[in-house]
Amino acid sequence: MNTIGDKRGWGDAQLRKAVEDNTSWRAVARALGLKDTSAGVIRTIKRHAVRLELETGHFTGQRRWTDGQLRQALLGSTCWSEVFVSLGISDSGQDRVRIKGHAVRLELDCSHLKTPHRASMAGEVFDLPVRPELLSAAAPGIAMAWFAMRGCAVALPVEPQVYDLLVTTAAGVQRVQIKTSVRPNGKGRWSVGIGRRPYTLDKSASKMPYDPDSLDLFFIVLGDGSIYVIPSSVLAGRTGIYVDSYLPYRVGDAAGLIAG
């Protein structure tokens, strides 16, 4: 119930249920019928959640894992790489710093996590399994190697851009957007999304085509290793394609890198 002089349009019971049913403060605000982009609204519901001593350990925000999942991952792992595998995310430098920082804030014990021993004995083999869901994380490296092996200088943009790479070719500097598809659809066709979300806070907004004047090439890697390099002018106005319709643009095969 609301307290005397409280101008809220929602009560403690509604807040308690919203916190239980959602995984971020913005989602809680939406559940209460409030503006989720208002910092004042978020501060208000946080203040009342603290007053009610509500449990928010299941909140993930922009994360794909909860505080509880991180605790379990730390308990069951012997090194940071195992923590990432347990959480089902790629082991990037940025994510490693973020997860370590989160563990420190939660005062979790990480002292047992060791750096894995390097394979140094004769006969040792690096045999970590391939994880197809990490193809999008691996694709930029594949693209850089593909262009570099053809004598093209490759650079990463200093600030976020609509393109992922800058590649110097005989035709000049090309702006390259990288796309992937992990597996074919039920009919055996490889569908690839080549659109982007508009610059909006609404992550559910429909994707829109890239401006053909902002890109020069699409570098596409499929889960079977196939590589396509397609001019943006060929795909102008599209947000998705069946890549097998563009076989003339198939330029290579990285199956040896990503095979299980």
Side-chain angles (χ1 to χ4, degrees):
M1 61 183 291
N2 295 356
T3 58
I4 296 176
D6 194 339
K7 297 181 179 180
R8 290 179 290 150
W10 43 270
D12 291 349
Q14 290 170 292
L15 176 59
R16 185 174 286 107
K17 179 167 176 45
V19 169
E20 290 176 353
D21 293 347
N22 294 280
T23 59
S24 71
W25 290 112
R26 290 181 60 186
V28 170
R30 290 194 295 271
L32 295 174
L34 305 174
K35 187 176 181 181
D36 65 350
T37 56
S38 169
V41 165
I42 300 300
R43 284 195 299 269
T44 297
I45 60 178
K46 282 185 178 181
R47 183 174 70 251
H48 285 283
V50 170
R51 175 177 60 82
L52 295 171
E53 299 182 349
L54 301 183
E55 173 58 46
T56 57
H58 61 291
F59 277 24
T60 62
Q62 298 298 317
R63 294 180 276 119
R64 290 175 290 172
W65 41 270
T66 66
D67 293 350
Q69 289 172 320
L70 178 57
R71 287 190 179 92
Q72 287 300 117
L74 288 171
L75 287 174
S77 301
T78 60
C79 64
W80 282 107
S81 294
E82 292 179 4
V83 172
F84 279 84
V85 171
S86 180
L87 293 176
I89 59 177
S90 59
D91 186 357
S92 68
Q94 184 177 6
D95 282 336
R96 181 172 286 221
V97 170
R98 182 180 297 114
I99 288 179
K100 282 185 176 181
H102 203 80
V104 169
R105 288 195 299 274
L106 295 176
E107 299 182 350
L108 302 180
D109 181 15
C110 305
S111 60
H112 63 290
L113 299 179
K114 307 297 183 182
T115 301
H117 297 295
R118 291 190 177 93
S120 57
M121 300 294 289
E124 288 191 41
V125 177
F126 192 81
D127 59 354
L128 287 178
V130 168
R131 295 171 57 193
E133 72 274 14
L134 299 182
L135 180 60
S136 61
I142 295 172
M144 294 174 73
W146 189 89
F147 284 110
M149 288 297 292
R150 285 153 180 80
C152 301
V154 181
L156 295 169
V158 176
E159 298 179 353
Q161 299 287 347
V162 296
Y163 50 83
D164 297 312
L165 298 177
L166 287 171
V167 180
T168 302
T169 71
V173 177
Q174 304 286 296
R175 298 158 299 177
V176 182
Q177 171 63 222
I178 301 169
K179 298 295 183 182
T180 61
S181 179
V182 174
R183 57 183 59 86
N185 62 19
K187 296 182 180 180
R189 301 194 69 187
W190 290 90
S191 175
V192 180
I194 57 167
R196 66 173 183 84
R197 297 200 187 280
Y199 296 111
T200 174
L201 293 175
D202 183 5
K203 299 300 182 183
S204 64
S206 298
K207 290 189 176 182
M208 58 184 292
Y210 284 93
D211 182 343
D213 290 331
S214 66
L215 294 175
D216 299 296
L217 298 171
F218 281 95
F219 186 98
I220 298 172
V221 187
L222 304 183
D224 65 357
S226 300
I227 297 173
Y228 291 73
V229 177
I230 308 176
S232 63
S233 58
V234 174
L235 304 179
R238 298 183 181 277
T239 58
I241 61 170
Y242 288 115
V243 76
D244 51 335
S245 299
Y246 298 87
L247 287 177
Y249 298 98
R250 188 177 187 277
V251 296
D253 191 337
L257 286 174
I258 60 180

